Amino acid sequence: MANLNTLEKQILEKLFQMYGGGVLNFTHQTMWEFFRDDLSIDIHEEKYNYNTGSKANLMRGFWLEDDDTNVGIGIIKVIEYLEGQILLGNLKKEEFPNDLVVAGKQVANRLLGAKKDTRIYVAHATYDNGNINIELQKEIFDHVQKLLNDGHYFSAVEESYKIVRKKLKDVTGKEKAHEAFNCANYSKIFGHEARNEAENNFFEGVKFLHLAIQNLRNEKAHTPANDLDKNLAIHYISLASLAYDLINRK
């Protein structure tokens, strides 16, 4: 049995629209296919046949019969399905307040603890009408996830930049970009020296990206924490994720 308390069950039931016996826009067939394909579970197995056997009760049976890890992954997968259906226009975004979605993700995080890679704040790389979801670098995301979910966006940005600088120091022995990026260190950073002018231009571009991170981090470090728009914070953190990724590929 998954360790879900009463409030968490209420949050999930509201998020998954389980009133009246349904679950989102699933039919019995599509719900069976979803659990089969995404979770390798036969949701029509007898052990999940809780109470009336409705779609909502099958979900409750899943929570009752499986452990924290499986249920945590299941919650993530259903939320990803929900978000995908919104992108496709099959569900209405206004029916799923962001605070409720975040609360559902936090339930999954608690169940999973550190057992799984739960990249659920920013999902798979998708886009729709100017709204882009990307998957951040694991090291960046793992460090700032709780700050993001708790709404501490300013601190999340500052911490993401610290991780980039630490990675640069691990690779080159220098934390500051203007000291780390020199020709002698290119093989340490990129795995080889620049082989042509185009590659040298790319290396210089990565250098200036890290210089930007250095200066943006200095600004954050010497500015009192203040309210920061979530969308802007995600842009800043995405920049940190890119900078980290580009020195982590050799």
Side-chain angles (χ1 to χ4, degrees):
M1 176 187 295
N3 181 28
L4 289 168
N5 63 41
T6 300
L7 177 59
E8 289 173 329
K9 291 176 183 176
Q10 291 174 341
I11 288 169
L12 294 174
E13 294 206 3
K14 184 171 183 179
L15 178 59
F16 297 155
Q17 297 184 333
M18 292 168 60
Y19 45 81
V23 177
L24 299 173
N25 61 353
F26 284 116
T27 65
H28 272 285
Q29 179 65 24
T30 59
M31 186 168 173
W32 174 75
E33 291 172 351
F34 170 81
F35 273 84
R36 179 197 64 190
D37 296 342
D38 287 51
L39 295 165
S40 299
I41 288 173
D42 182 357
I43 197 62
H44 288 161
E45 196 175 332
E46 184 58 33
K47 68 178 181 178
Y48 300 123
N49 189 21
Y50 173 71
N51 203 347
T52 65
S54 67
K55 294 184 289 292
N57 278 328
L58 288 174
M59 183 68 79
R60 295 182 184 108
F62 170 57
W63 298 344
L64 284 169
E65 293 297 328
D66 271 281
D67 60 22
D68 285 359
T69 298
N70 285 340
V71 172
I73 294 171
I75 293 168
I76 289 171
K77 292 293 185 181
V78 176
I79 292 175
E80 288 180 347
Y81 170 86
L82 181 164
E83 293 174 330
Q85 291 296 297
I86 290 173
L87 285 174
L88 293 170
N90 297 328
L91 291 173
K92 297 179 180 178
K93 183 176 178 60
E94 57 268 24
E95 294 180 4
F96 303 94
N98 185 64
D99 288 349
L100 185 61
V101 175
V102 169
K105 292 175 178 181
Q106 289 173 333
V107 173
N109 286 343
R110 188 187 65 75
L111 291 176
L112 287 165
K115 296 176 183 177
K116 296 289 179 180
D117 177 12
T118 56
R119 300 183 186 203
I120 56 178
Y121 192 90
V122 182
H124 309 300
T126 59
Y127 64 90
D128 180 68
N129 293 326
N131 296 311
I132 299 176
N133 293 321
I134 65 169
E135 184 171 304
L136 297 172
Q137 269 285 319
K138 182 182 187 310
E139 292 80 2
I140 297 287
F141 182 74
D142 285 352
H143 190 67
V144 303
Q145 179 180 10
K146 188 176 187 306
L147 290 168
L148 287 171
N149 284 338
D150 291 345
H152 300 310
Y153 304 126
F154 185 97
S155 296
V157 172
E158 183 180 4
E159 288 300 311
S160 73
Y161 290 165
K162 287 181 183 178
I163 294 299
V164 174
R165 287 165 64 89
K166 181 180 182 301
K167 179 64 176 179
L168 193 58
K169 185 174 181 180
D170 289 344
V171 171
T172 69
K174 302 289 185 180
E175 183 180 82
K176 296 178 180 179
H178 68 274
E179 296 175 349
F181 280 87
N182 57 64
C183 292
N185 279 337
Y186 277 1
S187 60
K188 293 180 182 178
I189 298 169
F190 302 108
H192 59 269
E193 308 251 345
R195 291 173 288 212
N196 51 52
E197 186 63 24
E199 197 164 57
N200 186 66
N201 288 338
F202 171 74
F203 289 176
E204 285 293 294
V206 176
K207 168 185 172 181
F208 282 107
L209 175 60
H210 278 262
L211 284 168
I213 294 292
Q214 176 178 309
N215 285 290
L216 288 170
R217 192 264 166 177
N218 288 343
E219 179 265 333
K220 293 288 181 291
H222 295 95
T223 303
N226 53 52
D227 290 337
L228 184 64
D229 175 72
K230 179 174 71 174
N231 187 61
L232 181 58
I234 293 297
H235 278 76
Y236 278 133
I237 294 168
S238 298
L239 188 68
S241 180
L242 174 62
Y244 188 104
D245 181 58
L246 291 175
I247 64 170
N248 193 45
R249 293 191 168 203
K250 66 177 186 295

PDB file of all heavy atoms in Angstrom, residues 5 23 51 104 112 119 126 147-148 152 184 191 206 216 218 220 242:
ATOM      1  N   ASN A   5      -1.583  10.039   2.625  1.00  0.00           N
ATOM      2  CA  ASN A   5      -2.508  10.466   3.666  1.00  0.00           C
ATOM      3  C   ASN A   5      -3.803  10.993   3.053  1.00  0.00           C
ATOM      4  O   ASN A   5      -3.929  11.114   1.826  1.00  0.00           O
ATOM      5  CB  ASN A   5      -1.851  11.496   4.595  1.00  0.00           C
ATOM      6  CG  ASN A   5      -1.453  12.782   3.876  1.00  0.00           C
ATOM      7  OD1 ASN A   5      -2.190  13.299   3.037  1.00  0.00           O
ATOM      8  ND2 ASN A   5      -0.281  13.315   4.215  1.00  0.00           N
ATOM      9  N   VAL A  23     -11.686   9.164 -14.516  1.00  0.00           N
ATOM     10  CA  VAL A  23     -10.312   9.647 -14.347  1.00  0.00           C
ATOM     11  C   VAL A  23      -9.969  10.424 -15.606  1.00  0.00           C
ATOM     12  O   VAL A  23      -9.862   9.840 -16.704  1.00  0.00           O
ATOM     13  CB  VAL A  23      -9.302   8.495 -14.156  1.00  0.00           C
ATOM     14  CG1 VAL A  23      -7.880   9.048 -14.071  1.00  0.00           C
ATOM     15  CG2 VAL A  23      -9.634   7.669 -12.921  1.00  0.00           C
ATOM     16  N   ASN A  51     -13.881  -2.008  -4.943  1.00  0.00           N
ATOM     17  CA  ASN A  51     -15.267  -1.551  -4.827  1.00  0.00           C
ATOM     18  C   ASN A  51     -16.042  -1.786  -6.123  1.00  0.00           C
ATOM     19  O   ASN A  51     -16.203  -2.932  -6.530  1.00  0.00           O
ATOM     20  CB  ASN A  51     -15.301  -0.080  -4.403  1.00  0.00           C
ATOM     21  CG  ASN A  51     -16.608   0.306  -3.730  1.00  0.00           C
ATOM     22  OD1 ASN A  51     -17.579  -0.453  -3.790  1.00  0.00           O
ATOM     23  ND2 ASN A  51     -16.641   1.451  -3.101  1.00  0.00           N
ATOM     24  N   GLY A 104       0.152  18.017  -6.724  1.00  0.00           N
ATOM     25  CA  GLY A 104       0.182  16.619  -7.147  1.00  0.00           C
ATOM     26  C   GLY A 104       1.596  16.130  -7.371  1.00  0.00           C
ATOM     27  O   GLY A 104       1.959  14.996  -6.991  1.00  0.00           O
ATOM     28  N   LEU A 112       8.464   9.161  -3.862  1.00  0.00           N
ATOM     29  CA  LEU A 112       9.677   8.668  -4.506  1.00  0.00           C
ATOM     30  C   LEU A 112      10.934   8.971  -3.715  1.00  0.00           C
ATOM     31  O   LEU A 112      11.921   8.259  -3.813  1.00  0.00           O
ATOM     32  CB  LEU A 112       9.807   9.263  -5.915  1.00  0.00           C
ATOM     33  CG  LEU A 112       8.835   8.675  -6.936  1.00  0.00           C
ATOM     34  CD1 LEU A 112       8.781   9.547  -8.173  1.00  0.00           C
ATOM     35  CD2 LEU A 112       9.241   7.272  -7.312  1.00  0.00           C
ATOM     36  N   ARG A 119      12.036  14.285 -12.813  1.00  0.00           N
ATOM     37  CA  ARG A 119      12.075  15.566 -13.512  1.00  0.00           C
ATOM     38  C   ARG A 119      10.673  15.921 -13.945  1.00  0.00           C
ATOM     39  O   ARG A 119      10.263  15.656 -15.062  1.00  0.00           O
ATOM     40  CB  ARG A 119      12.975  15.478 -14.718  1.00  0.00           C
ATOM     41  CG  ARG A 119      14.402  15.110 -14.364  1.00  0.00           C
ATOM     42  CD  ARG A 119      15.222  15.125 -15.626  1.00  0.00           C
ATOM     43  NE  ARG A 119      16.545  14.640 -15.320  1.00  0.00           N
ATOM     44  CZ  ARG A 119      17.597  14.922 -16.042  1.00  0.00           C
ATOM     45  NH1 ARG A 119      17.506  15.680 -17.087  1.00  0.00           N
ATOM     46  NH2 ARG A 119      18.772  14.444 -15.719  1.00  0.00           N
ATOM     47  N   THR A 126       8.845  19.981 -25.322  1.00  0.00           N
ATOM     48  CA  THR A 126       7.672  20.142 -26.184  1.00  0.00           C
ATOM     49  C   THR A 126       7.413  21.630 -26.353  1.00  0.00           C
ATOM     50  O   THR A 126       7.906  22.454 -25.582  1.00  0.00           O
ATOM     51  CB  THR A 126       6.423  19.487 -25.573  1.00  0.00           C
ATOM     52  OG1 THR A 126       6.154  20.094 -24.295  1.00  0.00           O
ATOM     53  CG2 THR A 126       6.609  17.988 -25.380  1.00  0.00           C
ATOM     54  N   LEU A 147      13.168  24.384  -4.339  1.00  0.00           N
ATOM     55  CA  LEU A 147      13.024  25.841  -4.339  1.00  0.00           C
ATOM     56  C   LEU A 147      11.971  26.277  -5.360  1.00  0.00           C
ATOM     57  O   LEU A 147      11.144  27.149  -5.086  1.00  0.00           O
ATOM     58  CB  LEU A 147      14.365  26.509  -4.643  1.00  0.00           C
ATOM     59  CG  LEU A 147      15.437  26.406  -3.553  1.00  0.00           C
ATOM     60  CD1 LEU A 147      16.786  26.853  -4.098  1.00  0.00           C
ATOM     61  CD2 LEU A 147      15.041  27.236  -2.332  1.00  0.00           C
ATOM     62  N   LEU A 148      11.982  25.650  -6.541  1.00  0.00           N
ATOM     63  CA  LEU A 148      10.994  25.972  -7.565  1.00  0.00           C
ATOM     64  C   LEU A 148       9.593  25.613  -7.108  1.00  0.00           C
ATOM     65  O   LEU A 148       8.650  26.409  -7.217  1.00  0.00           O
ATOM     66  CB  LEU A 148      11.324  25.239  -8.868  1.00  0.00           C
ATOM     67  CG  LEU A 148      12.518  25.744  -9.664  1.00  0.00           C
ATOM     68  CD1 LEU A 148      12.838  24.786 -10.803  1.00  0.00           C
ATOM     69  CD2 LEU A 148      12.255  27.142 -10.216  1.00  0.00           C
ATOM     70  N   HIS A 152      10.329  29.718  -4.412  1.00  0.00           N
ATOM     71  CA  HIS A 152      11.491  30.551  -4.085  1.00  0.00           C
ATOM     72  C   HIS A 152      12.336  30.735  -5.351  1.00  0.00           C
ATOM     73  O   HIS A 152      13.451  30.199  -5.475  1.00  0.00           O
ATOM     74  CB  HIS A 152      12.312  29.907  -2.967  1.00  0.00           C
ATOM     75  CG  HIS A 152      11.549  29.705  -1.696  1.00  0.00           C
ATOM     76  ND1 HIS A 152      10.820  30.711  -1.104  1.00  0.00           N
ATOM     77  CD2 HIS A 152      11.390  28.597  -0.918  1.00  0.00           C
ATOM     78  CE1 HIS A 152      10.249  30.252   0.006  1.00  0.00           C
ATOM     79  NE2 HIS A 152      10.572  28.975   0.132  1.00  0.00           N
ATOM     80  N   ALA A 184      44.647  26.690 -22.997  1.00  0.00           N
ATOM     81  CA  ALA A 184      45.258  25.549 -22.314  1.00  0.00           C
ATOM     82  C   ALA A 184      44.218  24.635 -21.676  1.00  0.00           C
ATOM     83  O   ALA A 184      44.463  23.444 -21.466  1.00  0.00           O
ATOM     84  CB  ALA A 184      46.234  26.052 -21.255  1.00  0.00           C
ATOM     85  N   GLY A 191      37.275  18.320 -24.405  1.00  0.00           N
ATOM     86  CA  GLY A 191      37.834  17.023 -24.790  1.00  0.00           C
ATOM     87  C   GLY A 191      38.903  17.102 -25.849  1.00  0.00           C
ATOM     88  O   GLY A 191      39.591  16.117 -26.126  1.00  0.00           O
ATOM     89  N   VAL A 206      30.773  29.518 -25.876  1.00  0.00           N
ATOM     90  CA  VAL A 206      30.543  28.880 -24.585  1.00  0.00           C
ATOM     91  C   VAL A 206      31.231  29.680 -23.481  1.00  0.00           C
ATOM     92  O   VAL A 206      30.688  29.863 -22.383  1.00  0.00           O
ATOM     93  CB  VAL A 206      31.045  27.422 -24.602  1.00  0.00           C
ATOM     94  CG1 VAL A 206      30.893  26.777 -23.220  1.00  0.00           C
ATOM     95  CG2 VAL A 206      30.282  26.609 -25.645  1.00  0.00           C
ATOM     96  N   LEU A 216      25.899  37.397 -13.928  1.00  0.00           N
ATOM     97  CA  LEU A 216      24.533  37.316 -13.427  1.00  0.00           C
ATOM     98  C   LEU A 216      24.509  36.765 -12.011  1.00  0.00           C
ATOM     99  O   LEU A 216      23.745  37.216 -11.166  1.00  0.00           O
ATOM    100  CB  LEU A 216      23.676  36.440 -14.349  1.00  0.00           C
ATOM    101  CG  LEU A 216      23.324  37.046 -15.706  1.00  0.00           C
ATOM    102  CD1 LEU A 216      22.695  36.000 -16.621  1.00  0.00           C
ATOM    103  CD2 LEU A 216      22.385  38.233 -15.548  1.00  0.00           C
ATOM    104  N   ASN A 218      26.972  37.052  -9.831  1.00  0.00           N
ATOM    105  CA  ASN A 218      27.487  38.106  -8.959  1.00  0.00           C
ATOM    106  C   ASN A 218      26.398  39.110  -8.616  1.00  0.00           C
ATOM    107  O   ASN A 218      26.293  39.576  -7.478  1.00  0.00           O
ATOM    108  CB  ASN A 218      28.656  38.824  -9.638  1.00  0.00           C
ATOM    109  CG  ASN A 218      29.904  37.966  -9.687  1.00  0.00           C
ATOM    110  OD1 ASN A 218      30.018  36.985  -8.972  1.00  0.00           O
ATOM    111  ND2 ASN A 218      30.835  38.320 -10.557  1.00  0.00           N
ATOM    112  N   LYS A 220      23.146  38.482  -8.508  1.00  0.00           N
ATOM    113  CA  LYS A 220      22.215  37.839  -7.574  1.00  0.00           C
ATOM    114  C   LYS A 220      22.825  37.742  -6.177  1.00  0.00           C
ATOM    115  O   LYS A 220      22.141  37.933  -5.172  1.00  0.00           O
ATOM    116  CB  LYS A 220      21.846  36.440  -8.082  1.00  0.00           C
ATOM    117  CG  LYS A 220      21.036  36.437  -9.370  1.00  0.00           C
ATOM    118  CD  LYS A 220      19.614  36.900  -9.133  1.00  0.00           C
ATOM    119  CE  LYS A 220      18.793  36.877 -10.400  1.00  0.00           C
ATOM    120  NZ  LYS A 220      19.192  37.889 -11.391  1.00  0.00           N
ATOM    121  N   LEU A 242      21.923  25.123 -19.880  1.00  0.00           N
ATOM    122  CA  LEU A 242      22.653  25.078 -21.136  1.00  0.00           C
ATOM    123  C   LEU A 242      24.151  25.215 -20.881  1.00  0.00           C
ATOM    124  O   LEU A 242      24.963  24.458 -21.454  1.00  0.00           O
ATOM    125  CB  LEU A 242      22.174  26.198 -22.060  1.00  0.00           C
ATOM    126  CG  LEU A 242      22.960  26.370 -23.369  1.00  0.00           C
ATOM    127  CD1 LEU A 242      22.863  25.114 -24.230  1.00  0.00           C
ATOM    128  CD2 LEU A 242      22.436  27.595 -24.127  1.00  0.00           C
TER     129      LEU A 242
END
